Amino acid sequence: MTNNPLVTVTLIAMNHEKFIAQACYSILNQTYNNIEVIFLDNNSKDKTFEIGNEILKNSGIKYLGIKNQENKGVSANLNIQVNHATGEFISILSGDDWYEKKNIEMRLKYLQQNNWDVVFSDGYKYIEEQKKRDDVYSSKRKKKVKQNIEHYFKENIAGNITSNVGFFTKKNILLENPFDEKIHAEDWDINLRLSQKGYRFGFVDLKLFNYRILSTSLSNNFEMMKNSYFEITNKYITEIKESIEASKIYQMRLFEFEIHKLELIKNKSNNERQDLISAYTNFNSLRYKSPKKEYKNTLIYIKTLFGKI
C-alpha cells in the first residue's frame, strides 16, 4: 500500500443518524481497500457526526472528520473535501446512501482500463418509506444511457437521465473544475461542464450503489426540483435552443411542471381544469409521434382525472 491512498471517499451527511453507520460500513467493507475517508457533517442536529466519526476513526484506515458549525451548500462542502483529499481519485457518497462491496474496485478498474475521466454505473434505489429496493434504471433507460454516455452533454443538457450516485473521477479534474456553489443540482451541473470540456465518460453495467429515496429527497421536493432545473438549463439555454431534440425535452419539462402544479390544487376552478387538460395535451403532442396514440393517452388521462379536476 502506498503512503498516499489511491482513492479518497468523500462522505457527506446531515441529520443522517439512522443511516450513517450503513454508509460507513459499506465503505469499510469494500473489496478495494487502498482508500482514505473524508467525512464531512453539515452541522447535523442529531448524532450523525458522533456515530460516523466513532466508526471511521477506529477503522484503521486514513481518516479525516470535519463538522461544520454552520450549514453550507452541498457544492461548498464537496469543494472542501476535494481540497483535503490526498488520493488520486475521488469517490463521492451521501450519508443516506451506501455502496455495494465492489463499488470502488470496479469503477477504478474500468476507469483505468478504458482511460475514462468520469465513471457511472448501474445500481439500486431504495424507497425508505416502503422498505423496498428496486432497479434504479429501467431496461430502456439504461440502454439509452449506455449508448449515449460518451455524448453526455448533448443527451443530458435539457434533462438528466443518468444517476450520479457514487460519482467517481480523478481528483485533479475536480481541482481544476470545482463544484458551482451557486447550484443545488451540483452533480448534473458538474457532469455537463466536464462533458462539454471533452472529458471522457464511461458506464459500468454492474449494480454498484444503493440510492435511498426519502420523503425529504430533492426528487420529492417539487419547488426545489423545479428551481434546480432552471438553475442548470438557464446556463445552457443557448445550446438547448440550438438543438431540436433538447428544445423538445425542455418544452416537455415545462409542461410537466405546469401539470404537477395544477394537479396539486385540490379544488380547481374551471379555468384551472382547462389549463391542466391543455398542458397535458401539449405534453403528449411532444411525447408521441403518433397522433392516434397522443389522442388516446390524453383521453384516458382526462377520463381518469375528471372526477378530481
Side-chain angles (χ1 to χ4, degrees), residues 215-263:
S215 59
T216 55
S217 296
L218 176 59
S219 57
N220 290 323
N221 187 321
F222 172 67
E223 284 301 321
M224 186 175 293
M225 183 176 68
K226 183 175 71 171
N227 293 338
S228 295
Y229 182 78
F230 288 120
E231 284 177 347
I232 303 295
T233 53
N234 285 344
K235 294 175 69 171
Y236 305 104
I237 195 65
T238 299
E239 290 86 346
I240 290 173
K241 290 180 178 179
E242 290 173 349
S243 167
I244 295 175
E245 184 62 25
S247 296
K248 174 183 174 182
I249 295 171
Y250 181 76
Q251 290 297 320
M252 288 176 66
R253 291 303 300 273
L254 297 186
F255 286 128
E256 281 184 312
F257 289 137
E258 181 68 13
I259 291 166
H260 188 78
K261 182 185 74 173
L262 290 167
E263 284 181 338

Side-chain angles (χ1 to χ4, degrees), residues 74-75 180-186 189 228 231-232 235:
V74 174
S75 294
D180 186 342
E181 298 185 9
K182 297 178 182 179
I183 295 292
H184 287 93
E186 74 292 332
D189 176 67
S228 295
E231 284 177 347
I232 303 295
K235 294 175 69 171

